[in-house]
Coordinates of all heavy atoms in Angstrom, one line a residue:
A1299 N 168.2 83.6 78.7 CA 168.4 82.2 78.7 C 167.6 81.6 77.5 O 167.6 80.4 77.3 CB 167.9 81.6 80.0
G1300 N 166.9 82.4 76.8 CA 166.1 81.9 75.6 C 164.8 81.2 76.1 O 164.2 80.4 75.3
M1301 N 164.3 81.5 77.3 CA 163.2 80.8 77.8 C 161.9 81.4 77.3 O 160.8 80.8 77.5 CB 163.2 80.8 79.4 CG 164.4 80.1 80.0 SD 164.4 80.3 81.8 CE 162.9 79.6 82.3
T1302 N 162.0 82.6 76.7 CA 160.7 83.2 76.2 C 160.4 82.8 74.8 O 159.4 83.3 74.2 CB 160.9 84.8 76.3 OG1 162.1 85.1 75.6 CG2 161.0 85.2 77.7
G1303 N 161.2 82.0 74.1 CA 160.8 81.5 72.8 C 161.3 82.4 71.7 O 161.9 83.4 72.0
P1304 N 161.2 82.0 70.5 CA 161.6 82.8 69.3 C 160.9 84.1 69.2 O 159.7 84.1 69.5 CB 161.3 81.9 68.1 CG 160.2 81.0 68.6 CD 160.5 80.7 70.1
K1305 N 161.5 85.1 68.8 CA 160.9 86.4 68.6 C 160.6 86.7 67.2 O 160.2 87.8 66.9 CB 161.8 87.5 69.2 CG 162.1 87.3 70.7 CD 163.0 88.4 71.3 CE 163.3 88.2 72.7 NZ 164.2 89.3 73.3
T1306 N 160.8 85.8 66.3 CA 160.5 86.1 64.9 C 159.0 86.1 64.6 O 158.6 86.8 63.7 CB 161.2 85.0 64.0 OG1 160.7 83.7 64.4 CG2 162.7 85.1 64.2
F1307 N 158.2 85.4 65.4 CA 156.8 85.5 65.1 C 156.1 85.8 66.4 O 156.2 85.1 67.4 CB 156.3 84.1 64.6 CG 154.8 84.0 64.5 CD1 154.1 84.7 63.5 CD2 154.1 83.2 65.4 CE1 152.8 84.6 63.5 CE2 152.7 83.1 65.3 CZ 152.1 83.8 64.3
M1308 N 155.3 86.9 66.4 CA 154.6 87.3 67.5 C 153.1 87.3 67.3 O 152.5 88.1 66.6 CB 155.0 88.8 67.9 CG 156.4 88.9 68.3 SD 156.7 88.2 70.0 CE 155.7 89.2 71.0
P1309 N 152.4 86.2 67.7 CA 151.0 86.1 67.5 C 150.2 87.3 68.2 O 150.7 87.7 69.3 CB 150.6 84.8 68.0 CG 151.6 84.5 69.1 CD 152.9 85.1 68.5
T1310 N 149.1 87.7 67.6 CA 148.3 88.7 68.3 C 147.6 88.1 69.5 O 147.1 87.1 69.5 CB 147.3 89.2 67.3 OG1 147.9 89.9 66.2 CG2 146.3 90.3 68.0
I1311 N 147.8 88.8 70.6 CA 147.2 88.4 71.9 C 146.2 89.4 72.3 O 146.5 90.6 72.6 CB 148.2 88.2 73.0 CG1 149.2 87.1 72.6 CG2 147.6 87.8 74.3 CD1 150.3 86.9 73.5
T1312 N 144.9 89.0 72.4 CA 143.9 89.9 73.0 C 143.5 89.4 74.3 O 143.4 88.2 74.6 CB 142.7 90.0 72.0 OG1 142.1 88.7 71.9 CG2 143.1 90.5 70.7
T1313 N 143.2 90.4 75.2 CA 143.0 90.0 76.6 C 141.7 90.6 77.0 O 141.5 91.9 76.9 CB 144.1 90.6 77.5 OG1 145.4 90.1 77.0 CG2 143.9 90.1 78.9
A1314 N 140.8 89.8 77.5 CA 139.5 90.3 78.0 C 139.6 90.8 79.4 O 140.2 90.1 80.2 CB 138.4 89.2 77.9
E1315 N 139.0 91.9 79.7 CA 139.0 92.4 81.1 C 138.1 91.5 82.0 O 137.1 90.9 81.5 CB 138.5 93.8 81.2 CG 139.4 94.8 80.5 CD 138.9 96.3 80.8 OE1 139.1 96.7 81.9 OE2 138.4 96.9 79.8
P1316 N 138.5 91.3 83.2 CA 137.8 90.4 84.1 C 136.4 90.9 84.3 O 136.2 92.1 84.4 CB 138.6 90.3 85.4 CG 139.3 91.6 85.4 CD 139.7 91.9 83.9
L1317 N 135.4 90.0 84.4 CA 134.0 90.4 84.6 C 133.4 89.4 85.5 O 133.5 88.2 85.3 CB 133.3 90.4 83.2 CG 131.8 90.7 83.3 CD1 131.6 92.1 83.8 CD2 131.1 90.5 81.9
T1318 N 132.7 89.9 86.5 CA 132.0 89.0 87.5 C 130.5 89.2 87.2 O 130.0 90.3 87.3 CB 132.4 89.4 88.9 OG1 133.8 89.3 89.1 CG2 131.6 88.5 89.9
L1319 N 129.8 88.1 87.0 CA 128.4 88.1 86.7 C 127.7 87.6 87.9 O 128.1 86.5 88.5 CB 128.1 87.3 85.5 CG 128.7 87.7 84.2 CD1 128.3 86.8 83.1 CD2 128.2 89.1 83.8
R1320 N 126.6 88.2 88.3 CA 125.8 87.7 89.4 C 124.3 87.8 89.0 O 123.9 88.7 88.3 CB 126.0 88.6 90.7 CG 127.4 88.5 91.3 CD 127.5 89.4 92.4 NE 128.9 89.4 93.0 CZ 129.2 88.6 94.0 NH1 128.3 87.8 94.5 NH2 130.4 88.6 94.4
T1321 N 123.5 86.8 89.4 CA 122.1 86.8 89.1 C 121.4 87.8 90.1 O 121.9 88.1 91.2 CB 121.5 85.4 89.3 OG1 121.7 85.0 90.7 CG2 122.2 84.4 88.4
Q1322 N 120.2 88.3 89.7 CA 119.6 89.3 90.5 C 119.2 88.8 91.9 O 119.3 89.6 92.8 CB 118.3 89.7 89.7 CG 117.5 90.9 90.4 CD 118.3 92.1 90.4 OE1 119.1 92.4 89.5 NE2 118.1 92.9 91.5
D1323 N 118.8 87.5 92.0 CA 118.4 87.1 93.3 C 119.6 86.8 94.3 O 119.4 86.6 95.4 CB 117.5 85.8 93.2 CG 118.3 84.7 92.6 OD1 119.4 84.9 92.1 OD2 117.8 83.5 92.7
N1324 N 120.8 86.9 93.7 CA 122.0 86.7 94.5 C 122.8 88.0 94.6 O 124.0 87.9 94.9 CB 122.8 85.6 93.9 CG 123.8 85.0 94.9 OD1 123.6 85.0 96.1 ND2 125.0 84.6 94.4
Q1325 N 122.2 89.1 94.3 CA 122.9 90.4 94.2 C 123.1 90.9 95.7 O 122.1 91.1 96.4 CB 122.0 91.4 93.4 CG 122.8 92.6 93.0 CD 123.8 92.3 91.9 OE1 123.4 91.7 90.9 NE2 125.0 92.7 92.0
P1326 N 124.3 91.1 96.1 CA 124.6 91.7 97.4 C 124.2 93.1 97.4 O 124.1 93.8 96.4 CB 126.1 91.5 97.6 CG 126.6 91.5 96.2 CD 125.6 90.8 95.4
K1327 N 123.8 93.6 98.6 CA 123.3 95.0 98.8 C 124.0 95.7 99.9 O 124.6 95.1 100.8 CB 121.8 94.9 99.0 CG 121.0 94.3 97.9 CD 119.5 94.2 98.3 CE 118.6 93.7 97.2 NZ 119.1 92.4 96.7
L1328 N 124.0 97.0 99.8 CA 124.5 97.9 100.8 C 123.4 98.8 101.3 O 122.8 99.6 100.5 CB 125.7 98.8 100.3 CG 126.9 98.0 99.7 CD1 127.9 99.0 99.1 CD2 127.6 97.2 100.7
A1329 N 123.1 98.8 102.6 CA 122.2 99.6 103.2 C 122.9 100.8 103.8 O 123.7 100.7 104.7 CB 121.4 98.9 104.3
V1330 N 122.7 102.0 103.2 CA 123.4 103.2 103.6 C 122.6 104.1 104.5 O 121.5 104.5 104.1 CB 123.8 104.0 102.3 CG1 124.6 105.2 102.7 CG2 124.7 103.1 101.4
T1331 N 123.1 104.4 105.7 CA 122.4 105.3 106.6 C 123.2 106.6 106.7 O 124.3 106.6 107.2 CB 122.3 104.6 108.0 OG1 121.6 103.4 107.9 CG2 121.6 105.5 109.0

């Protein structure tokens, strides 16, 4: 249907992997027995 736009120019697309940041005082923990 031509909904994807023209194919004559393809800009470079870089994708950053998702990253979740947490501060030390809010770091969840697992107590393993």
Side-chain angles (χ1 to χ4, degrees):
M1301 298 173 62
T1302 53
K1305 299 182 180 181
T1306 56
F1307 173 70
M1308 293 291 296
T1310 297
I1311 298 177
T1312 58
T1313 308
E1315 294 187 71
L1317 178 64
T1318 301
L1319 299 176
R1320 293 177 182 265
T1321 59
Q1322 184 63 32
D1323 64 348
N1324 197 30
Q1325 196 74 49
K1327 297 175 174 60
L1328 301 175
V1330 180
T1331 303

